[in-house]
Amino acid sequence: MADDPCKSDWNPRAEEVLGDQIRAYDTMRAQCPVAWSDYQHWTLFRHGDVMRVLEDHQTFSSAASSHLSVPNGMDPPEHTPYRQVIEPYFSQQAMSEFEPTCRSIARNLVSSLHDGQPFDVVERFSRAFALQIQCAFMGWPDSLHEPLREWVLKNHQATLASDRQAMAEVAHEFDGYIRDLLETRRQAGANAPRDVTTSLMEETVNGRTMTDEELTSLLRNWTVGELGTISSSVSILLSYLAKHPDLKQSLANDTVALPDAIDEILRMDAPLMSNRRVTTRDVDIGGRRIPTGEKITILWASANRDEKVFGDPDAFCPQKNRDHNLLYGAGVHVCPGAPLARMELRVLMEELLSAVDTLEPAPGDQPERAVFPTGGFSYLPMVIAKR
């Protein structure tokens, strides 16, 4: 018999949870590793349970939304041809070609930071980097930076409030940006810029070009993922290195160690908090009976801190933890954009560490953590001294 979903095991929106989400999730992982709530439905806190879901897409479907989601909300075999179209855009060659542009953006942003003057990492640095890098990668004009910045904030507020009407309006606004970009390229014809957006318009799936609805969904997923998680990642990395100056200096002296160090810091403090699945049949998991058609929250922010896999979740052990780190997921839906994200974060940190001698919290000002469904910080005041 299924568990009674009317009785909540916890409240993800409770003040004590939002006050320190990481510790709250650590506690839930130990006390109630498969938990029901009205807000997140079934939440999985343990690494093993999450891996089971990721490896069994037939029982745990990604089609958890009523809206088209390309390819995130699809299962094989429908998912496969879209995935095959996407992967070449994140190849080693594509990353090598984009890296100089990425480095130029990173270097200019680091140069814009003033010596000894407090600044908000989120507004001045991490969000600006995410916006500029996404537009550069997609071939979008700089004039979209400010509209997209405002759109990200509205999207977060609507999601946080679970306001379906506001979420629909925000999605419609983004669709308008994409329609304009597509129409501009169509009118240009052979003179359209040879960028990622134009190339995607020419790709074929199952013998046909993608519809505007499919293109818009794909580009929305890429943009939301890039802008949100990259910005969160940068704020988490700077906060951690400010608290661990010896590690910061070590990485400045040995940038070869940066990729593993970045992944490990983001394992401990998730930039992407969760993803969703829906059950296709009744299933027992973690001692709970979950019926068909129930939504499941995969809580990366907990699974990547599971003591049974990582030991002390706050111990910095990049080599030891590398193979079990779910920062970019696993299984058929492992993040295709992981090579791009890793390259962007590595390059930004290389530029920062080469230019900055000290990185410290701004005196007399307290940071503010972002709250679910966003990771990282909403406000992170810091001060730097350049070399």
Side-chain angles (χ1 to χ4, degrees):
M1 186 173 180
D3 285 285
D4 179 7
C6 296
K7 182 179 182 299
S8 290
D9 297 304
W10 72 310
N11 178 8
R13 310 297 300 154
E15 187 174 338
E16 61 269 23
V17 173
L18 297 181
D20 192 341
Q21 291 178 123
I22 291 176
R23 299 307 162 198
Y25 299 160
D26 288 349
T27 299
M28 287 297 297
R29 187 171 58 252
Q31 296 180 356
C32 188
V34 178
W36 167 264
S37 68
D38 290 333
Y39 183 71
Q40 289 185 10
H41 294 213
W42 293 100
T43 303
L44 306 185
F45 292 87
R46 292 189 303 203
H47 190 281
D49 292 335
V50 166
M51 283 301 299
R52 178 181 167 188
V53 169
L54 298 179
E55 292 170 349
D56 184 2
H57 57 81
Q58 293 181 331
T59 303
F60 304 96
S61 170
S62 293
S65 172
S66 58
H67 302 287
L68 178 68
S69 181
V70 180
N72 308 40
M74 296 174 168
D75 300 313
E78 181 187 27
H79 163 268
T80 307
Y82 293 95
R83 180 75 184 217
Q84 289 171 341
V85 162
I86 290 170
E87 287 182 342
Y89 289 89
F90 304 104
S91 67
Q92 184 174 350
Q93 179 181 343
M95 296 304 94
S96 297
E97 290 173 356
F98 184 58
E99 183 169 332
T101 299
C102 179
R103 191 170 295 280
S104 176
I105 291 171
R107 185 168 295 167
N108 288 339
L109 267 175
V110 172
S111 297
S112 74
L113 301 178
H114 296 297
D115 228 354
Q117 294 185 13
F119 68 101
D120 176 14
V121 168
V122 176
E123 187 60 34
R124 279 286 315 280
F125 194 64
S126 65
R127 191 175 289 147
F129 179 68
L131 282 165
Q132 292 179 36
I133 212 75
Q134 173 68 0
C135 288
F137 182 70
M138 298 304 301
W140 297 349
D142 291 351
S143 59
L144 265 183
H145 289 175
E146 184 58 23
L148 280 178
R149 186 189 71 82
E150 294 178 1
W151 179 84
V152 168
L153 295 175
K154 286 187 283 189
N155 184 58
H156 173 61
Q157 290 166 357
T159 304
L160 188 64
S162 295
D163 185 334
R164 293 190 177 277
Q165 181 177 346
M167 290 166 71
E169 291 172 356
V170 169
H172 182 72
E173 178 183 339
F174 183 84
D175 293 355
Y177 297 139
I178 298 302
R179 282 194 298 270
D180 289 346
L181 291 165
L182 300 182
E183 185 58 29
T184 298
R185 283 160 173 73
R186 287 187 177 121
Q187 290 183 0
N191 296 320
R194 300 312 306 170
D195 55 29
V196 168
T197 302
T198 302
S199 295
L200 283 169
M201 294 173 66
E202 298 168 353
E203 296 284 2
T204 58
V205 175
N206 298 323
R208 59 166 180 79
T209 55
M210 284 185 278
T211 66
D212 280 6
E213 184 184 14
E214 290 169 324
L215 284 167
T216 300
S217 175
L218 173 60
L219 294 175
R220 188 193 303 120
N221 282 334
W222 278 16
T223 304
V224 171
E226 177 78 1
L227 297 185
T229 55
I230 290 297
S231 178
S232 296
S233 295
V234 173
S235 67
I236 290 166
L237 291 169
L238 265 63
S239 174
Y240 190 88
L241 292 180
K243 294 174 184 175
H244 299 83
D246 290 346
L247 175 62
K248 174 192 162 297
Q249 189 56 50
S250 172
L251 293 173
N253 295 336
D254 179 21
T255 56
V256 173
L258 260 175
D260 279 346
I262 290 170
D263 279 9
E264 175 69 347
I265 293 168
L266 300 179
R267 174 195 65 77
M268 293 184 277
D269 192 348
L272 176 64
M273 302 293 277
S274 68
N275 280 121
R276 293 194 302 168
R277 298 291 191 271
V278 62
T279 54
T280 61
R281 61 185 179 187
D282 292 1
V283 62
D284 293 304
I285 187 164
R288 306 298 293 270
R289 181 73 164 170
I290 302 179
T292 304
E294 288 287 293
K295 290 185 178 173
I296 288 178
T297 297
I298 298 171
L299 199 59
W300 309 114
S302 172
N304 251 347
R305 293 177 53 82
D306 193 331
E307 296 83 355
K308 291 184 178 179
V309 175
F310 303 105
D312 178 357
D314 292 307
F316 179 81
C317 304
Q319 284 74 38
K320 169 180 170 287
N321 295 330
R322 178 195 299 143
D323 294 342
H324 301 291
N325 192 339
L326 296 177
L327 175 61
Y328 294 103
V332 297
H333 283 285
V334 65
C335 179
L340 176 63
R342 284 190 165 111
M343 185 271 287
E344 291 171 348
L345 293 173
R346 171 182 59 80
V347 166
L348 181 64
M349 296 310 296
E350 285 174 353
E351 292 299 320
L352 182 83
L353 292 173
S354 69
V356 171
D357 184 35
T358 61
L359 175 69
E360 298 175 343
D365 212 351
Q366 293 300 311
E368 297 173 8
R369 293 290 311 209
V371 296
F372 187 93
T374 303
F377 293 80
S378 59
Y379 177 60
L380 184 61
M382 303 202 84
V383 61
I384 63 167
K386 293 188 175 180
R387 296 187 188 280

